[in-house]
Amino acid sequence: MLLTIDIGNTHTVLGLFEGAEIVEHWRISTDPRRTADEHAVLFQGLMNNHPLVGDTGVDGIAICSTVPSVLHEMRDMIRRYYGDIPALVVEPGVKTGMPVLVDNPKEVGTDRIINALAAVHLYGAPCIVVDLGTATSFDAVSRKGEWIGGAIAPGIEISVEALGARGAQLRKIELARPRSIIGKNTVECMQAGILYGFAGQIDGVVNRMADELADDPNDVTVVATGGLAPLVLEEAEVIDEHEPWLTLIGLRLVYERNMGVASG
């Protein structure tokens, strides 16, 4: 079984694959203060509760990270607790099979490349990946399967926190759909502005990207992922597919490419 670990700025998502099928997943907070030993206790506690892990164990690990300090501890954890298991950290120099056609490929977040790789694998190219996490990122893939760039905007939660912190009469709110686009109280006004504002942002950015990606923008598949994607799925008009485990699937693909493993 392959353990995939996606370390994001806010959350760390773990996925357990048996062949090409994800059989279990967990989401935990990303804590830069957590040590290698604490990571090991947490991960083993989660996995030991799964019957398949208890029977067969983990025989491979694939990791990507946007948080260098956490990745350092994760490397230490692998050395100490999983030293006899093949492990792959996706970073510059690791073969992904996807050309990265930007000014400096090394500065592109590995999670973005992995997401694009998985999207092409699942849905074909050209495509656009919209990842709604701490930031909202847009990744454009050409018809030839090349990662050609994208856009990054403040994420939904960042915007809500900033609004509550900087507005004298505003406060933190639940991220939920209001009764109407025209709010009848402060909370509903904020919810409407956030939800429909971000849906409009997604539609606007994606439509402009699609115009550049293909002669017929309808040929471009738009794939949404990330922990906050469910909030806007019904409101953003341009989203064609929703794959919550896109990064984990991409990690599996890169692991198989580099370790010479075939999907079961």
Side-chain angles (χ1 to χ4, degrees):
M1 302 189 75
L2 175 66
L3 175 63
T4 55
I5 305 172
D6 170 27
I7 305 168
N9 289 294
T10 304
H11 294 123
T12 295
V13 181
L14 293 79
L16 201 60
F17 282 88
E18 186 171 33
E21 180 184 0
I22 185 167
V23 295
E24 186 59 278
H25 53 83
W26 303 273
R27 181 182 296 270
I28 62 175
S29 61
T30 298
D31 186 351
R33 300 167 299 177
R34 192 176 287 142
T35 67
D37 297 326
E38 289 171 328
H39 277 114
V41 171
L42 180 58
F43 288 7
Q44 291 172 357
L46 292 171
M47 291 189 293
N48 287 344
N49 287 325
H50 196 283
L52 290 177
V53 179
D55 292 339
T56 63
V58 171
D59 54 23
I61 300 174
I63 300 175
C64 71
S65 175
T66 59
V67 187
S69 60
V70 175
L71 181 58
H72 173 78
E73 294 297 323
M74 203 69 70
R75 290 183 196 270
D76 191 25
M77 181 200 73
I78 292 172
R79 283 193 295 267
R80 296 190 59 188
Y81 294 92
Y82 299 96
D84 58 339
I85 296 175
L88 176 71
V89 176
V90 182
E91 54 192 342
V94 171
K95 295 180 294 183
T96 63
M98 172 164 285
V100 181
L101 307 184
V102 296
D103 295 340
N104 183 3
K106 291 183 178 181
E107 73 178 10
V108 180
T110 54
D111 57 326
R112 301 178 69 188
I113 305 302
I114 289 171
N115 282 345
L117 176 70
V120 172
H121 173 77
L122 294 171
Y123 308 109
C127 63
I128 297 170
V129 177
V130 184
D131 187 354
L132 291 104
T134 303
T136 300
S137 63
F138 302 82
D139 302 309
V141 182
S142 72
R143 191 176 298 277
K144 296 180 180 179
E146 305 155 327
W147 196 91
I148 60 172
I152 302 175
I156 296 176
E157 285 188 342
I158 289 177
S159 299
V160 171
E161 291 173 2
L163 198 58
R166 299 293 296 272
Q169 293 185 326
L170 303 179
R171 57 188 184 273
K172 290 185 178 181
I173 60 170
E174 178 188 3
L175 290 173
R177 180 175 288 101
R179 291 177 295 176
S180 168
I181 181 63
I182 303 175
K184 300 299 184 181
N185 53 60
T186 300
V187 170
E188 287 186 350
C189 287
M190 293 174 67
Q191 288 173 333
I194 291 292
L195 177 62
Y196 298 110
F198 271 89
Q201 179 193 73
I202 291 168
D203 289 341
V205 173
V206 166
N207 282 328
R208 286 169 170 79
M209 281 189 174
D211 286 340
E212 293 190 20
L213 271 177
D215 293 333
D216 183 357
N218 292 323
D219 291 340
V220 180
T221 303
V222 181
V223 185
T225 192
L228 297 176
L231 284 172
V232 298
L233 288 177
E234 295 183 12
E235 310 304 335
E237 298 176 354
V238 297
I239 295 173
D240 299 308
E241 304 286 349
H242 174 223
E243 177 46 72
W245 314 123
L246 196 67
T247 311
L248 303 183
I249 293 170
L251 279 169
R252 175 182 64 82
L253 294 172
V254 176
Y255 180 88
E256 291 170 355
R257 172 179 290 269
N258 284 267
M259 299 302 192
V261 179
S263 295

